[in-house]
Amino acid sequence: MPHAPPLGALLRQYSAGSALACEPVDQGLLNRGYRLCTTRGRYFLKHHFDPETADPAAIARQHRATQRLADLGVPVAPPLTGRDGRTVAVVGGHAYALHPWIDGRHRHGGQLSTAQCGRLGGLLGVVHASLERVMQMQSHARAHAKSPRTAETPETAETAKAADTFALIDALLAHVHRHRPADSFDELARHRLLERRALLEQHADRRPPRGGSVGWVHGDFHPFNLLYKGDAPAAIVDWDRLGVKPRAEEAVRAAAIFFVRPAGALDLPKVRAYARAYRRRAGATPSELAAAVHRVWWERLNDFWMLRWHYERGDTRADPQFPAASALAVWWTREYDAVCGAFTD
């Protein structure tokens, strides 16, 4: 098995028996996961491999948050505690965590009824409202213990500048031109890059300001990070991006992933049901959602991370997502008012 985890050392730390089987779970783009069967049960073993999210102190903070969310009834899968009382095991300089195995499956928006889409939006609203409570508890605990404060600076980075995006488009077009022999991905990439440049030239004056109201968010809420049992959500997983960011933007980004159709259009009736439930449970206003729609639209118009992975890193794992995602930016620009209405009605 490539990158085989040190099972003996890990299982001794968790008193989790002896390994019977360990199989990679291939859906993650940043970290490594394994389905682990031992003499004491079934587990999900997570190797926190990505340098940006592998700090043991940050992982422990995520673990404390998920345990407190579980205490509030939010469907999560908190990690097991090791023999040393910690939830993060560091072996050979690498951080690992052991979670209970959750039997479930991922479901995208096309597999959800309109009522279930409302449930999904309500769930994200509950997550945002609950995180405010549990992260306040953590802040108070740190203050009482006089321990160093983990960075909680709101992530409201300056929005993309069209001039920078034009330079990136030119660089990516050069990558496409150099790739030989050209294939169908190259043809689509070239078409979308030229199309996006024309859209940005047309809408360059619509650059939004920095993000608005911030709060604690999951940070990566999408179909592969939510498991269903039957019709009900069973567990929200992968809390690596937990942080303080514009909350309404997470709601819009998640909808743009859950409800995008293969041709690049959003299923607006489902978005509407989702957004109404989200606003109700999160206490968000229509104006907050409208501003978030504008910022995420602009973000999508300027974002080429899938092409950068493909051409700059030689990483093709996101390639299957590119056709729908790249078409969405074009469709969203054309149907801007209808999209905004679906999130605010």
Side-chain angles (χ1 to χ4, degrees):
M1 181 196 314
H3 314 294
L7 294 179
L10 286 168
L11 292 175
R12 283 193 296 273
Q13 288 201 34
Y14 286 100
S15 299
S18 301
L20 299 175
C22 183
E23 301 173 352
V25 176
D26 296 328
Q27 288 166 327
L29 290 179
L30 297 179
N31 293 301
R32 297 171 181 157
Y34 303 87
R35 180 174 180 168
L36 176 62
C37 184
T38 79
T39 52
R40 295 195 177 178
R42 293 185 301 159
Y43 305 95
F44 176 73
L45 174 63
K46 184 165 184 175
H47 177 188
H48 290 268
F49 178 77
D50 178 59
E52 292 186 11
T53 60
D55 174 55
I59 299 167
R61 179 183 66 173
Q62 297 158 17
H63 291 170
R64 290 191 297 271
T66 55
Q67 183 57 65
R68 288 172 172 154
L69 288 172
D71 294 341
L72 294 176
V74 179
V76 292
L80 279 66
T81 302
R83 297 170 66 183
D84 60 359
R86 302 173 186 270
T87 56
V88 183
V90 179
V91 179
H94 293 270
Y96 299 87
L98 196 63
H99 299 258
W101 181 263
I102 304 295
D103 277 318
R105 64 191 184 102
H106 305 291
R107 303 181 69 179
H108 57 76
Q111 297 170 310
L112 302 177
S113 68
T114 302
Q116 289 168 337
C117 295
R119 249 181 114 173
L120 177 66
L123 174 61
L124 183 57
V126 167
V127 167
H128 287 173
S130 299
L131 279 172
E132 290 302 301
R133 294 175 57 186
V134 305
M135 299 313 291
Q136 271 192 349
M137 292 167 62
Q138 289 202 29
S139 295
H140 291 161
R142 280 195 303 274
H144 181 70
K146 297 182 180 180
S147 60
R149 184 177 176 85
T150 304
E152 295 173 3
T153 304
E155 296 184 26
T156 55
E158 187 177 9
T159 53
K161 297 178 180 178
D164 294 335
T165 305
F166 291 143
L168 175 58
I169 289 172
D170 288 341
L172 287 169
L173 283 169
H175 276 291
V176 174
H177 180 72
R178 286 194 298 268
H179 187 254
R180 290 291 181 270
D183 56 25
S184 59
F185 189 92
D186 298 322
E187 292 176 10
L188 179 61
R190 181 179 182 279
H191 169 71
R192 291 303 188 197
L193 286 164
L194 294 174
E195 181 180 53
R196 197 77 64 83
R197 184 161 63 190
L199 284 174
L200 277 168
E201 289 171 350
Q202 182 180 354
H203 297 284
D205 61 341
R206 297 179 65 186
R207 180 187 177 210
R210 288 176 181 265
S213 176
V214 299
W216 285 97
V217 299
H218 175 275
D220 200 18
F221 193 79
H222 59 68
F224 284 144
N225 284 341
L226 179 60
L227 287 165
Y228 277 82
K229 281 187 180 179
D231 292 337
I236 305 165
V237 298
D238 285 346
W239 292 79
D240 303 303
R241 300 295 189 186
L242 176 71
V244 180
K245 303 175 186 177
R247 296 193 312 169
E249 290 180 34
E250 171 157 89
V252 175
R253 285 192 196 95
I257 300 171
F258 271 97
F259 304 119
V260 64
R261 292 168 168 162
L266 291 179
D267 189 326
L268 294 184
K270 290 185 175 182
V271 169
R272 183 171 284 105
Y274 161 95
R276 284 175 176 171
Y278 172 78
R279 295 199 313 268
R280 184 170 62 251
R281 300 305 294 267
T285 65
S287 61
E288 285 180 286
L289 268 294
V293 166
H294 188 66
R295 286 192 295 271
V296 177
W297 162 76
W298 180 259
E299 175 186 280
R300 288 300 188 100
L301 208 57
N302 287 268
D303 181 45
F304 297 95
W305 74 268
M306 296 176 190
L307 292 184
R308 298 192 75 171
W309 276 35
H310 182 96
Y311 290 107
E312 296 178 358
R313 297 168 49 169
D315 189 331
T316 60
R317 288 177 295 166
D319 286 6
Q321 304 175 39
F322 179 68
S326 59
L328 175 60
V330 181
W331 178 87
W332 192 335
T333 303
R334 185 174 66 247
E335 302 293 339
Y336 182 90
D337 291 340
V339 175
C340 196
F343 279 97
T344 60
D345 287 350

